[in-house]
């Protein structure tokens, strides 16, 4: 399992430079975090961006709900860029922890074309997130399986991600899209919106 996770981690880093949605529609910036003590839905995305850019795994851990599922894009799965269709919170936290760790050197990865990729440790991450223009609202959803009657919220967001590893910078030239589902939850007295689902590169 460990080798599959590490292989998937490197594949994820590589695919950011290889996949683009070709959609360069105008976008609008995310609102700044609310100064009020009451948590806002937008805060989870602002904190997600901040965790990536600062490579703060503790902050990232705080954002993930216990029932988080990360879904890779179907194209990445069918093309062999990633070894599985989805993974859980523990796997996501482990893989992202390696991405955030400037000393972590992933094992060489064999690409679908047979070439070998091993760029070395990641030295820089830059995540930009925007709402599609005119589409800032979160869509309510009711979960009837894990938390019956509880209101969840979904939002599709445009993003760009630059990842520098060794002499290589992996960059998606056009805006990609990801869908996030959040729920309000308290963990050890820490009340905030947390990520339940993340569908990447729609």
């Amino acid at each position: 399992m460990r080798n599959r996770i590490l292989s998937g981690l490197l594949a994820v880093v590589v695919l950011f430079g290889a996949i683009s949605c070709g959609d360069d529609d105008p976008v609008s910036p995310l609102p700044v975090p609310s100064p009020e003590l009451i948590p806002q839905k937008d805060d989870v995305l602002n904190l997600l961006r901040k965790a990536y850019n600062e490579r703060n795994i503790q902050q990232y851990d705080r954002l993930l709900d216990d029932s988080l599922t990360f879904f890779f894009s179907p194209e990445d799965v069918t093309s062999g860029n990633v070894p599985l269709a989805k993974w859980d919170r523990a796997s996501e936290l482990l893989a992202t922890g390696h991405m955030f760790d400037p000393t972590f050197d992933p094992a060489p990865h064999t690409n679908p074309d047979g070439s070998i990729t091993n760029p070395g440790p990641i030295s820089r991450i830059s995540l930009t997130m925007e709402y599609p223009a005119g589409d800032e609202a979160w869509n309510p959803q009711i979960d009837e399986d894990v938390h019956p009657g509880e209101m969840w919220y979904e939002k599709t967001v445009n993003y760009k991600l630059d990842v520098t590893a060794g002499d290589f910078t992996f960059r998606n030239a056009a805006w990609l899209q990801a869908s996030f589902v959040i729920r309000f939850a308290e963990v050890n007295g820490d009340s905030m919106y947390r990520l339940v689902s993340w569908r990447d590169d729609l």
Side-chain angles (χ1 to χ4, degrees):
M1 183 63 176
R2 176 178 171 81
N3 289 339
R4 291 180 62 194
I5 292 172
L6 299 187
S7 175
L9 163 66
L10 184 56
V12 170
V13 174
V14 171
L15 70 87
F16 285 131
I19 304 297
S20 71
C21 66
D23 181 8
D24 241 358
D25 291 339
V27 294
S28 56
L30 271 69
V32 297
S34 171
E36 294 91 1
L37 294 178
I38 300 174
Q40 304 295 310
K41 300 179 190 71
D42 295 319
D43 291 344
V44 69
L45 297 181
N46 283 296
L47 292 172
L48 173 65
R49 179 177 55 188
K50 183 177 174 68
Y52 259 76
N53 292 339
E54 296 180 357
R55 305 175 75 171
N56 187 332
I57 194 60
Q58 289 78 24
Q59 180 64 69
Y60 191 67
D61 183 12
R62 179 179 177 234
L63 294 172
L64 306 185
D65 191 75
D66 288 344
S67 56
L68 172 89
T69 304
F70 182 97
F71 297 88
F72 296 101
S73 74
E75 181 179 354
D76 296 327
V77 176
T78 57
S79 67
N81 284 330
V82 292
L84 65 172
K86 62 183 180 180
W87 61 29
D88 61 11
R89 184 187 195 280
S91 299
E92 171 62 20
L93 195 59
L94 178 62
T96 303
H98 290 320
M99 281 184 64
F100 288 3
D101 181 357
T103 67
F104 178 74
D105 192 358
H109 173 73
T110 302
N111 301 309
D113 63 2
S115 62
I116 305 296
T117 304
N118 185 19
I122 295 171
S123 58
R124 186 186 68 91
I125 299 174
S126 176
L127 174 63
T128 304
M129 303 177 75
E130 307 277 359
Y131 286 154
D135 186 18
E136 291 82 19
W138 287 83
N139 302 312
Q141 299 182 344
I142 296 179
D143 172 63
E144 296 296 346
D145 297 326
V146 182
H147 303 277
E150 182 176 298
M151 188 67 72
W152 293 7
Y153 299 90
E154 184 274 337
K155 185 77 191 78
T156 298
V157 177
N158 296 331
Y159 75 90
K160 289 186 178 182
L161 182 67
D162 291 359
V163 179
T164 300
D167 295 331
F168 300 94
T169 296
F170 305 98
R171 175 182 295 117
N172 52 283
W175 290 97
L176 303 181
Q177 288 193 322
S179 170
F180 298 95
V181 176
I182 61 175
R183 64 181 288 258
F184 189 79
E186 179 177 322
V187 178
N188 298 324
D190 183 20
S191 299
M192 63 180 295
Y193 284 98
R194 302 175 194 275
L195 292 170
V196 178
S197 171
W198 178 342
R199 293 183 181 273
D200 196 42
D201 195 12
L202 301 177

